[in-house]
Amino acid sequence: MDTFLFQATIYLGAAVIAVPLAARLGLGSVLGYLLAGVIIGPLTGLVGSETRDLQHFAEFGVVMMLFLIGLELDPRALWNMRHRLVGLGGLQIMVTLVVISFGARVLGFGWGTSVAIGMVFALSSTAIVLQTLSEKGLMQTSGGRATFSVLLAQDIAVIPMLAALPLLAVASVVTLAPDGSMSDAAVAHGEDHLASLSLVEGLPGWGVTLVTLGAVAAVILAGVFLTRPVFRYIHQAHLREMYTALALLMVVAIAVLMQMVGLSPALGTFLAGVVLANSEFRHELESDLEPFKGLLLGLFFITVGAGINFDLLWTDPTGILALTVTIMAIKGVILFALATLFKLHRKDRWLFTLGLAQAGEFGFVLISFSLQQGVMTDALGGRLLLVIALSMLITPLLFIAYEMIQRRMTEGEQAEPDEVNEQGKVIIAGIGRFGQIVNRLVRSAGFETVVVDNDLATVQMMRKFGYRGFFGDPTRPDLLKAAGLDDAKVLVVAIDDKVNAVKLVRYARKARPGLHIIARARDRVHVHELYDAGADDIVREMFDSSLRAGRYALENLGLTEFEAAEIEQAFYHHDRAALRELAKLWKPGVPVTDLPDYVARARELNSSLETELLARAQKAEGKRKTAED
């Protein structure tokens, strides 16, 4: 117990000190965690042999992260990713595997060992890349979504890789029995596989397929039909911690089930997250699991840093560093070529390339299993583990390099609009001060919004604060269609440009006659223009706040709160009625000062307003004097 508490103090203390410092220096939290691990491990020796065992536990943070990402991903958005998931992801894995395998063969390794090395370096770090993309607000960019597609494809590819490794062994291990059944080796997932609880061990090939599909179907059906009854049952306890316990139980149980059928736990929990993405319990699950995900991921990064074998590095620093840089350069060239082939924008190509150039945490599993099967020697395995760790350590620096490249490219270049891959019942066009408040209010009530704005800096700032938004011109018909105009219930027009606001309202009304359109107006003339274009509700941006300020002034001039509120409401209703009446006299394109009837009627309405409000004020004053007497 004392040892556990000491180790916990070391790990938590290192994180608390190093991560805020790294964030303050602009290096990001991931590099802070990695450096903290290096300090408490190789440099000071405060932690030792337990690091590898702790890393297996901390990898559960990756499982939670993919579950939370699934919660943010609508099933339709996942379906829209299918081409990049299969095409871009599949090509990246196959091309990288072939090129690195051939390179290893040229260096003199056997074919089995060469292919195993290719498998190890065909993968990237899901943990580091997704954490950094989320932290820097890059997940919703085209490059971020392409990167996520490839990482998801890699997680799927780990399963056949693990099944194929025994076939590459020098002393070949029979993995298929005469009846077609699978042995432990074909379904193993490394040292921590739950062999004794396997549901597929000894089954024929068709049986394995049926059990695996049944497990996936069980996860989907449970998410659809069991979630609500279980949450209602938990709600009856009126204990906040039970929600947290249920959220953890869901993730752990799905991970165990996936291991029992030989699938990736991360892949299974991601699927469960997608199933629950549209449920009313999504925000509850996110808030319960987010702290655990962050701590476990941080612990995983610390163990990676602490596990770097500096003794081995000092034996051949030039060779090992050269091998690390060469592997990352080869992957970078392949990634950049694929990004160009799939027509990613220049900045997105660099994000895609620099973000995926490292090796990943699943490489540790593949190397461990390869050593068990005799596919590679202990000496080679040790060098490859060191290369993986070093490449992960370098990755945060590559993201910093990407930010420098992005800033340089942005200067003097018109940014490419985002690809809108989400749809919602509420579309908000414009995310300035007005649109931000509308967005926050609607989302806080549990409704999904799709936000589009043509100010890249504003969209990027939104992403940093955790709000999703897309960069692009909201007046473009194709972009509105991609945002879900055909199925949306409400369109909020909050863009600054008066002409474009009217243009957008007119187009939306023509495209969707039944759509409810709420528009922000800059002034009274703009109100008439928006009304003529087809807006249902028109909100003058300064009107309500000015009324409140006027009411406060009346209260401080001696009126009671009730009296001030009455005058405020009278002004409000009179002004709205006046606007509707003046709209009949307004003519498009003609200044109101050139419309004699409009000016005359406006003066009459203002006079009647003053008379009414004065009468109300005098009545209130009379009541107050009577009460005093």
Side-chain angles (χ1 to χ4, degrees):
M1 183 65 178
D2 292 340
T3 303
F4 169 77
L5 292 176
F6 175 75
Q7 296 294 337
T9 302
I10 294 298
Y11 280 103
L12 292 174
V16 169
I17 294 172
V19 175
L21 182 60
R24 181 171 296 183
L25 295 175
L27 302 177
S29 65
V30 174
L31 187 57
Y33 282 120
L34 292 170
L35 292 176
V38 172
I39 293 170
I40 66 175
L43 294 186
T44 62
L46 292 175
V47 295
S49 58
E50 79 285 346
T51 299
R52 187 64 64 188
D53 295 332
L54 190 59
Q55 188 174 88
H56 293 315
F57 170 74
E59 283 174 356
F60 198 70
V62 182
V63 174
M64 284 192 177
M65 178 172 62
L66 281 169
F67 179 74
L68 292 174
I69 289 174
L71 286 176
E72 294 287 339
L73 194 64
D74 187 88
R76 287 180 298 181
L78 180 62
W79 176 251
N80 292 335
M81 290 168 53
R82 65 190 184 278
H83 300 299
R84 285 184 175 176
L85 187 65
V86 177
L88 185 57
L91 276 175
Q92 183 274 325
I93 294 167
M94 291 304 300
V95 173
T96 305
L97 194 156
V98 169
V99 171
I100 293 182
S101 298
F102 182 77
R105 186 73 180 94
V106 170
L107 294 176
F109 294 104
W111 275 115
T113 302
S114 299
V115 173
I117 295 173
M119 290 179 179
V120 168
F121 291 112
L123 306 177
S124 304
S125 176
T126 301
I128 290 180
V129 176
L130 292 187
Q131 174 72 5
T132 308
L133 288 176
S134 300
E135 187 177 295
K136 295 182 179 296
L138 297 170
M139 185 66 80
Q140 295 301 321
T141 64
S142 180
R145 291 192 295 272
T147 301
F148 173 70
S149 300
V150 171
L151 289 171
L152 189 57
Q154 291 176 358
D155 286 347
I156 297 172
V158 170
I159 303 161
M161 286 181 180
L162 287 165
L165 276 175
L167 303 176
L168 304 176
V170 177
S172 182
V173 178
V174 178
T175 58
L176 294 177
D179 64 352
S181 63
M182 297 179 69
S183 68
D184 285 346
V187 296
H189 275 222
E191 297 173 323
D192 59 346
H193 181 65
L194 306 175
S196 60
L197 298 178
S198 174
L199 296 178
V200 296
E201 184 179 357
L203 293 178
W206 60 268
V208 173
T209 303
L210 286 179
V211 171
T212 302
L213 292 177
V216 173
V219 170
I220 297 174
L221 293 175
V224 174
F225 297 107
L226 292 183
T227 306
R228 286 181 177 85
V230 171
F231 264 93
R232 281 198 296 267
Y233 172 74
I234 291 296
H235 179 70
Q236 293 174 357
H238 299 291
L239 294 173
R240 182 69 181 83
E241 60 270 23
M242 285 297 99
Y243 288 101
T244 304
L246 177 60
L248 289 172
L249 175 63
M250 290 174 63
V251 176
V252 173
I254 293 169
V256 171
L257 177 62
M258 292 299 103
Q259 281 194 322
M260 290 169 68
V261 298
L263 292 178
S264 164
L267 183 63
T269 52
F270 171 76
L271 177 63
V274 173
V275 172
L276 296 171
N278 292 325
S279 75
E280 62 269 35
F281 310 109
R282 173 186 137 189
H283 297 293
E284 182 72 35
L285 290 168
E286 286 178 336
S287 62
D288 288 334
L289 292 177
E290 188 68 35
F292 292 96
K293 183 266 290 184
L295 283 175
L296 286 173
L297 276 179
L299 182 60
F300 171 74
F301 298 141
I302 291 177
T303 58
V304 170
I308 296 177
N309 189 344
F310 276 85
D311 292 336
L312 178 59
L313 177 61
W314 300 141
T315 60
D316 184 19
T318 304
I320 292 175
L321 290 174
L323 179 60
T324 303
V325 173
T326 301
I327 292 292
M328 297 182 75
I330 291 173
K331 290 187 70 174
V333 171
I334 295 171
L335 289 164
F336 194 85
L338 290 174
T340 304
L341 179 64
F342 279 78
K343 299 179 180 179
L344 293 182
H345 184 254
R346 286 175 59 198
K347 286 183 290 189
D348 293 318
R349 288 180 209 166
W350 283 109
L351 175 60
F352 183 75
T353 300
L354 297 175
L356 292 171
Q358 79 293 123
E361 55 276 357
F362 279 117
F364 296 135
V365 178
L366 292 177
I367 292 175
S368 176
F369 192 46
S370 298
L371 293 173
Q372 289 180 16
Q373 299 298 318
V375 178
M376 60 180 64
T377 64
D378 290 342
L380 176 61
R383 290 177 71 90
L384 295 183
L385 287 172
L386 182 56
V387 169
I388 292 174
L390 289 174
S391 70
M392 294 170 75
L393 183 63
I394 294 172
T395 299
L397 300 177
L398 295 183
F399 275 101
I400 294 174
Y402 163 73
E403 290 179 334
M404 296 172 62
I405 294 172
Q406 182 190 36
R407 283 195 295 269
R408 184 167 297 181
M409 285 184 172
T410 303
E411 296 175 1
E413 181 186 79
Q414 182 66 36
E416 283 287 317
D418 290 332
E419 175 187 346
V420 181
N421 63 349
E422 294 182 8
Q423 296 186 348
K425 295 300 182 184
V426 180
I427 301 174
I428 300 178
I431 197 64
R433 292 171 298 175
F434 186 93
Q436 283 181 26
I437 295 174
V438 176
N439 182 50
R440 289 166 57 193
L441 176 61
V442 174
R443 289 183 63 85
S444 68
F447 296 96
E448 290 298 317
T449 62
V450 178
V451 178
V452 184
D453 196 289
N454 60 359
D455 187 333
L456 180 60
T458 302
V459 173
Q460 290 175 337
M461 181 187 68
M462 272 185 60
R463 292 169 180 167
K464 288 183 180 179
F465 284 94
Y467 293 102
R468 288 178 294 178
F470 297 94
F471 170 67
D473 183 0
T475 63
R476 282 175 41 190
D478 59 327
L479 193 146
L480 286 172
K481 186 176 181 63
L485 182 65
D486 293 340
D487 300 316
K489 289 186 176 180
V490 178
L491 169 66
V492 180
V493 179
I495 55 181
D496 290 329
D497 189 276
K498 293 171 61 175
V499 175
N500 282 335
V502 174
K503 174 183 174 183
L504 174 54
V505 170
R506 183 169 284 113
Y507 170 77
R509 175 57 65 220
K510 182 179 179 182
R512 279 285 313 281
L515 179 67
H516 193 92
I517 302 175
I518 304 169
R520 179 188 72 171
R522 300 293 293 272
D523 49 43
R524 296 171 75 92
V525 174
H526 197 204
V527 171
H528 298 322
E529 293 172 340
L530 291 169
Y531 181 79
D532 183 67
D536 295 291
D537 294 317
I538 303 169
V539 182
R540 280 176 282 170
E541 59 182 2
M542 303 298 292
F543 185 64
D544 290 328
S545 57
S546 300
L547 284 180
R548 287 178 61 191
R551 191 184 78 225
Y552 295 151
L554 292 175
E555 291 172 3
N556 282 275
L557 289 172
L559 273 66
T560 66
E561 290 186 10
F562 176 76
E563 293 166 349
E566 266 200 326
I567 294 176
E568 177 191 15
Q569 286 300 310
F571 186 95
Y572 172 81
H573 291 298
H574 185 283
D575 189 82
R576 287 178 64 85
L579 269 178
R580 284 193 292 269
E581 188 170 339
L582 290 172
K584 301 173 184 177
L585 303 174
W586 176 77
K587 295 180 180 179
V590 180
V592 292
T593 53
D594 294 340
L595 297 172
D597 293 340
Y598 184 101
V599 174
R601 185 56 184 155
R603 295 181 67 175
E604 291 174 4
L605 290 170
N606 285 336
S607 178
S608 66
L609 173 62
E610 291 175 4
T611 302
E612 180 182 350
L613 294 181
L614 181 60
R616 284 177 176 266
Q618 290 174 344
K619 183 178 179 181
E621 180 69 19
K623 287 183 178 179
R624 192 162 50 251
K625 287 182 178 179
T626 302
E628 290 174 355
D629 294 338

